[in-house]
Amino acid sequence: MANGQSFLDKFAEVSAKIGNQVHLRSLRDGFATIMPVFILAGIAALLNNVVFKGLWSTDPASLGWFPNADLLATAQYWGNALSQGALSISAILLCGMVGYSLATNKRFDNPISCVVVSLAVFFIMMPQSVTANLAASSPLLTDEVTTAEVTSAFITNYTGTNGMFTAIIIGLLAPTLFIKVSSVDQLRIKMPEGVPPAVEKSFNVLIPMLISLGAFGLVSMILFAGFQTDITALINTWIQTPLRALTTNPAGLVFIYSLGVFLFTLGIHQSTINGVLVEPVLTIVLVEAMEVYTTGGIDAVIARPDLYLNMNVINVYALMGGSGCTLALLIATFIWGKWQPSKEIAKLGILPSIFNINEPVIYGYPIVFNIPLMVPFVLNTALGILLSYGATVIGLVNPTCIQVPWTTPIIASGFLSTGGDWRAAVLQVVLLALFVVIYLPFMKASETAQRKQFEMSE
């Protein structure tokens, strides 16, 4: 037992160090900062594709009070503006916020300068000419040139969802170099007393900023002159594609996420693993699904099976009531539980669990080191992923494509995240009922074990 406990203590210590590693923590902080922007973009897309289209029609006879189609286009302009303002610059937002988070986590005295460096490097590393699509002047001119090389322009393939991996890497690397160079005292320009603090800070980082930007400009030049490529193309080929293939593969996702959830049963928060390895990638896939939904509607998302496994699949189906779908455990306890301490914890934990917050259950029921409950805690998470993915693949429910807050209660989260598909809400209820059944025998075994422990302690 001592050896086992020693192993768990060491494992917990290593996991905590990984979870608190400054670059990984900064990545999580950066995503958390811009998450409201993505949620707003999801709401705008939902309004455009469901609410506005449901209220307006091109046929005035369909509704007696119905306005014309021009009003629909005007209303959708509002939604498109919000979506474009968020999704088309998502990589820019992420790059700046990751850089700022890294600076604050490293306690750098001028974090705003790290935002400047991150964004400047992000654009420095972009190609200086891009291929633009041109609309034919007439449908009859089928052989007319439809593309052209454009200079002094940026395209959303780099500033939007496709550039988010680049934004992550640059947002971590550029400030790291800048902070390192800034620590060299000889490179700081000393200003006399009485100079405003903002001016003093800008001169202090002048030379380190020039060195950092120049270094990345040199890398950009080498990639172009030597290999006719750019950093985003390299990252998409060597990092983004393999990583997405791993985490958006059902077997790979279930294995990694189940490992993180299992750690929670040992008292190690699941975000230590999942928040680092899984959630950033799945969030990027979800943002891309929102972009596809915004431009082409739900049919366009259905036509992209590579977008089916995204962060909403976890939040909507696999974490109902929080990690391990413990809302099902509380329901089973209310209906069939006999052990009064467990029922009291269930009363305290039911309201937070409705909003997918279950720390009171994890540590109060408890789930941690409760051997009987470890099995359904991990199993239900895996089943939530696999069954919802299977239902999406065979067309029983729409893919999740709208980012909703992770605290959104079930039924509402299923309906909203799938673009208003009521079948997703029904699937949530069916899965919850299944999870209750799975928890039931293990809950009874847990009560028996706790009762015996209580009797032995008297």
Side-chain angles (χ1 to χ4, degrees), residues 233-299:
L234 289 177
I235 290 173
N236 286 345
T237 301
W238 297 104
I239 299 177
Q240 178 172 339
T241 300
L243 196 56
R244 281 186 60 161
L246 175 63
T247 53
T248 58
N249 174 281
L253 178 58
V254 166
F255 174 77
I256 297 174
Y257 215 87
S258 296
L259 175 61
V261 172
F262 173 70
L263 291 179
F264 217 169
T265 66
L266 304 179
I268 305 167
H269 202 286
Q270 56 96 8
S271 63
T272 299
I273 297 295
N274 297 331
V276 171
L277 299 179
V278 179
E279 292 178 7
V281 179
L282 295 186
T283 300
I284 291 174
V285 177
L286 174 57
V287 174
E288 185 177 343
M290 275 198 296
E291 190 173 40
V292 172
Y293 178 74
T294 300
T295 56
I298 193 63
D299 290 338

Side-chain angles (χ1 to χ4, degrees), residues 100-145:
Y100 180 82
S101 298
L102 180 63
T104 54
N105 286 329
K106 281 180 169 286
R107 294 180 173 83
F108 186 58
D109 61 357
N110 192 355
I112 294 298
S113 62
C114 287
V115 178
V116 175
V117 169
S118 298
L119 294 179
V121 170
F122 183 71
F123 285 98
I124 285 171
M125 301 302 292
M126 286 188 186
Q128 296 181 14
S129 64
V130 296
T131 301
N133 295 324
L134 305 176
S137 59
S138 170
L140 300 177
L141 301 176
T142 55
D143 58 345
E144 188 175 1
V145 176

Side-chain angles (χ1 to χ4, degrees), residues 310-332:
N310 55 55
M311 195 59 217
N312 265 358
V313 171
I314 302 295
N315 291 334
V316 172
Y317 296 114
L319 299 183
M320 290 187 287
S323 298
C325 304
T326 51
L327 180 59
L329 172 62
L330 301 186
I331 293 173

Side-chain angles (χ1 to χ4, degrees), residues 155-220:
I155 56 175
T156 55
N157 279 346
Y158 289 88
T159 63
T161 56
N162 288 339
M164 290 181 76
F165 270 95
T166 304
I168 290 172
I169 292 175
I170 290 178
L172 294 175
L173 288 182
T176 298
L177 174 62
F178 172 64
I179 292 172
K180 187 71 174 177
V181 176
S182 298
S183 66
V184 180
D185 192 62
Q186 292 82 349
L187 297 178
R188 290 177 174 266
I189 299 177
K190 307 298 182 180
M191 301 297 293
E193 293 185 6
V195 174
V199 175
E200 182 181 11
K201 284 186 176 181
S202 66
F203 273 91
N204 277 342
V205 299
L206 176 61
I207 296 177
M209 190 176 290
L210 291 175
I211 293 174
S212 300
L213 299 184
F216 279 98
L218 182 62
V219 173
S220 181

Side-chain angles (χ1 to χ4, degrees), residues 23-24 29 31 42 79 93 99 105 157 190 202 215 218 245 311 323 342 350 357 370 389 391 401 425 443:
H23 293 85
L24 300 179
D29 294 345
F31 267 107
L93 296 175
N105 286 329
N157 279 346
K190 307 298 182 180
S202 66
L218 182 62
M311 195 59 217
S323 298
S342 297
I350 187 62
I357 299 169
N370 190 330
Y389 175 73
C401 55
M443 180 271 292

